[in-house]
Amino acid sequence: MRSCCSSRDRISDLPDEILGKILSLVPTKVAVSTSVLSKRWSRMNNNNNLLAHVDTLSFDESMVVYPNEEAVSGSSDRFLDFLDKTLRNCLTKTIKKFSLSHRGGSFTRSPAIYGWILSALEEEQGCLEEVHLECTRIEVNLERRLLTSNTLVKLTLSREYCLEVDRVYFPALKSLSLLTVGGLDYNNYRRLIKGCPVLEELFITDIGADTLDPYPPCCTTHVKSASIKRLVLSVDMPYGGPNNLHSFHELHDLTYVKAPSLVYLDYSSHVFMDYRFLDLDSLLQVRLNLKLWDHHKPIYGDVTNLAAGISNITTLHLSPDSLEAFHFCCKSMPVFKNLLNLSIESNKKKGWQAMPFLLKSCPNLRTLVFKGLVHRVTDKCGDACACTPYNKHKKKMKKKKSKVISCLWTCPVKVLEIVEYGGSFQELKQMRHFLGNLECLETVRVGIDADNSMFLRANLLALPIVSSNCNNIHFI
């Protein structure tokens, strides 16, 4: 019977080329925390044979287990010391991807880490293409020289970084992620975007920032770029409270996006007072998560200009909150003349009041997808819904027969897809309403729970279908 040590030796005795590939695929944090590669890891501190075959380095302090919380600060320094020793022996010409997540520590005591990154960026024959930096506790001032590189293609900055930008030049950078970067004011952010002339992907989050912060969230409120094709914005700025309304209005006054090459937009935020979405003629796909303010009366915000700015798209995904935002905060629904695919996510706490106006505004809609059918019952769902509202005494209210032609009768949808169909009475009633009114249907797909598949299939297959071009329901 072979011992555990024997197995470790077999791994440790692998050729340098193989171990180099293993260290590139497995995050360095894992290699450091085990003893399997301890012999060869020590060898890396003495020569470059093994590290010469590594093209990816990933260090994550969050995976380090400290004996107690009081020792974290000193242990963080030891973690940085370890990185210093490791990176001194690491050839910059071989590394393509570098990732570092740490808590901060006494960073001024360990300048070799960013010094190594700087050397890799400045190396004429270097090949560093991706850099991911995250500092989770103590603020780090990022050196200005780190914001210039001819080879960098992807850059991620997260959390406690402070940037003083006077010159930025990333001629090859195509993807930039700014994830709740606390020390980034508007002017430095603007210079950073300007210094990326071929940028194609921009991911920005402002989550949970303090309104008293000297650098209030700004990145998600203003985007201007001629080259960006994919834009993901997620902002969750806290409500200033009844005694801080000035700060609240100031932070949620205007969102500005001007991106003539933009093709994809994913936008998540509480509703702003105004939107300036300009030059978005290339935009094809939009995903919206617009949230109403729970504690603000009257309802705050206006999404009318946002809807108008994206009216040329072909695909639209709406969250449950977005439907309510369209109902309460959109003065006029534009005509989505090019919209072919509409996807709607439902929630039992959110209503469908905007559904009739939305469907009537999509004259060329071909595919309609629902993730769930259960929603809050109201008396304003109109003829797009089969639910029956209740009055205060919990008695059913008779639904008034509309003299207007049903929006479902004129809806040109050919493909109806229901994801996560549960088979409740309300869902079955809604399916009967859809199948009995969508006259252009050709294909119906329903995702059902495997445990109740036979029962649910039987109930759905028994429903009448008004369209002569749709003869069956496909289960997925």
Side-chain angles (χ1 to χ4, degrees):
M1 179 177 177
R2 295 183 178 178
S3 65
C4 181
C5 293
S6 175
S7 298
R8 291 174 182 171
D9 289 338
R10 290 179 61 186
I11 296 177
S12 181
D13 289 337
L14 289 172
D16 289 345
E17 293 82 357
I18 301 299
L19 280 178
K21 293 299 181 182
I22 293 176
L23 288 174
S24 295
L25 296 174
V26 180
T28 308
K29 60 195 176 190
V30 177
V32 175
S33 64
T34 65
S35 60
V36 174
L37 299 176
S38 59
K39 294 181 180 179
R40 301 298 280 275
W41 191 266
S42 298
R43 178 182 167 189
M44 281 192 284
N45 290 327
N46 299 320
N47 62 68
N48 295 323
N49 291 340
L50 184 54
L51 282 178
H53 302 284
V54 174
D55 59 13
T56 300
L57 287 178
S58 176
F59 300 92
D60 190 342
E61 189 182 0
S62 67
M63 301 299 292
V64 178
V65 179
Y66 296 118
N68 55 69
E69 189 63 24
E70 296 179 357
V72 168
S73 179
S75 298
S76 292
D77 290 341
R78 290 196 294 273
F79 175 77
L80 295 177
D81 287 340
F82 163 76
L83 294 185
D84 282 353
K85 295 177 183 178
T86 301
L87 294 176
R88 286 193 191 106
N89 295 316
C90 187
L91 298 176
T92 58
K93 296 180 181 180
T94 63
I95 304 301
K96 293 183 178 181
K97 301 178 182 179
F98 180 81
S99 177
L100 170 63
S101 176
H102 67 105
R103 301 180 181 181
S106 302
F107 197 80
T108 55
R109 216 169 50 77
S110 303
I113 299 173
Y114 281 148
W116 180 90
I117 300 174
L118 183 60
S119 298
L121 291 175
E122 293 179 339
E123 182 72 49
E124 293 184 1
Q125 297 180 354
C127 57
L128 189 60
E129 297 177 356
E130 294 187 20
V131 173
H132 306 267
L133 302 176
E134 179 183 36
C135 184
T136 58
R137 288 199 176 187
I138 302 175
E139 187 177 271
V140 172
N141 291 315
L142 202 60
E143 289 191 40
R144 301 178 184 183
R145 292 182 298 167
L146 289 170
L147 299 175
T148 301
S149 171
N150 292 322
T151 62
L152 201 61
V153 175
K154 187 173 184 179
L155 173 63
T156 300
L157 298 177
S158 180
R159 309 283 292 275
E160 302 301 323
Y161 282 102
C162 185
L163 281 71
E164 288 292 337
V165 180
D166 55 359
R167 182 179 182 274
V168 180
Y169 189 54
F170 290 121
L173 195 72
K174 293 187 176 181
S175 179
L176 174 63
S177 298
L178 303 173
L179 310 180
T180 315
V181 181
L184 181 63
D185 63 15
Y186 174 73
N187 289 328
N188 285 316
Y189 158 74
R190 183 172 54 86
R191 295 187 192 105
L192 182 59
I193 299 299
K194 271 189 164 184
C196 308
V198 298
L199 189 66
E200 295 183 357
E201 297 181 338
L202 180 59
F203 304 88
I204 307 179
T205 61
D206 280 328
I207 305 297
D210 188 351
T211 52
L212 300 179
D213 194 303
Y215 302 102
C218 62
C219 303
T220 47
T221 63
H222 187 104
V223 176
K224 183 179 180 181
S225 172
S227 60
I228 290 177
K229 296 180 180 179
R230 183 180 180 87
L231 178 61
V232 178
L233 300 177
S234 180
V235 54
D236 189 9
M237 293 186 255
Y239 171 50
N243 299 321
N244 196 16
L245 290 178
H246 175 72
S247 174
F248 169 78
H249 289 122
E250 185 177 277
L251 291 175
H252 302 91
D253 180 32
L254 173 67
T255 290
Y256 177 90
V257 175
K258 185 175 182 179
S261 301
L262 192 65
V263 176
Y264 175 86
L265 171 66
D266 186 338
Y267 181 78
S268 177
S269 172
H270 281 87
V271 176
F272 277 64
M273 180 51 69
D274 192 13
Y275 295 82
R276 306 280 174 85
F277 279 28
L278 308 174
D279 295 344
L280 301 181
D281 293 338
S282 298
L283 189 61
L284 297 178
Q285 184 173 352
V286 172
R287 183 178 295 273
L288 293 179
N289 181 24
L290 303 171
K291 294 166 282 188
L292 297 175
W293 292 95
D294 294 333
H295 306 293
H296 196 282
K297 301 296 180 181
I299 293 176
Y300 181 88
D302 188 346
V303 301
T304 306
N305 289 337
L306 184 155
I310 63 172
S311 59
N312 290 325
I313 62 176
T314 60
T315 301
L316 177 62
H317 305 269
L318 295 177
S319 69
D321 296 271
S322 296
L323 270 183
E324 289 209 327
F326 272 10
H327 173 66
F328 289 106
C329 303
C330 191
K331 296 177 182 177
S332 60
M333 189 75 71
V335 176
F336 293 91
K337 59 182 181 298
N338 298 323
L339 194 68
L340 302 177
N341 309 293
L342 176 61
S343 177
I344 295 172
E345 185 175 352
S346 294
N347 184 297
K348 63 181 180 181
K349 296 182 179 180
K350 306 297 179 181
W352 276 13
Q353 300 98 311
M355 192 74 71
F357 305 102
L358 183 59
L359 292 180
K360 290 176 182 177
S361 301
C362 306
N364 296 304
L365 191 63
R366 292 295 178 265
T367 301
L368 181 59
V369 179
F370 287 92
K371 185 178 180 180
L373 291 174
V374 178
H375 57 277
R376 182 168 62 88
V377 175
T378 71
D379 59 350
K380 295 182 179 180
C381 294
D383 49 24
C385 183
C387 59
T388 304
Y390 291 79
N391 64 14
K392 294 181 180 179
H393 303 289
K394 297 183 179 180
K395 294 180 180 179
K396 289 185 178 181
M397 297 172 60
K398 291 184 178 179
K399 203 166 189 178
K400 297 180 181 180
K401 294 183 178 179
S402 176
K403 296 181 181 180
V404 181
I405 296 177
S406 171
C407 65
L408 296 184
W409 295 350
T410 58
C411 184
V413 166
K414 294 184 177 181
V415 178
L416 175 66
E417 182 172 326
I418 312 298
V419 183
E420 297 182 4
Y421 178 78
S424 67
F425 175 76
Q426 182 180 347
E427 290 173 280
L428 184 63
K429 190 175 180 181
Q430 186 62 47
M431 284 299 297
R432 181 187 296 274
H433 187 66
F434 280 150
L435 298 180
N437 289 283
L438 291 171
E439 298 183 347
C440 298
L441 272 183
E442 296 179 2
T443 303
V444 177
R445 294 191 288 262
V446 181
I448 59 177
D449 187 353
D451 294 336
N452 300 315
S453 60
M454 294 299 294
F455 175 73
L456 298 182
R457 285 170 185 253
N459 283 343
L460 288 172
L461 291 174
L463 297 178
I465 301 176
V466 68
S467 174
S468 59
N469 295 322
C470 183
N471 299 319
N472 205 351
I473 298 176
H474 304 278
F475 297 97
I476 55 178

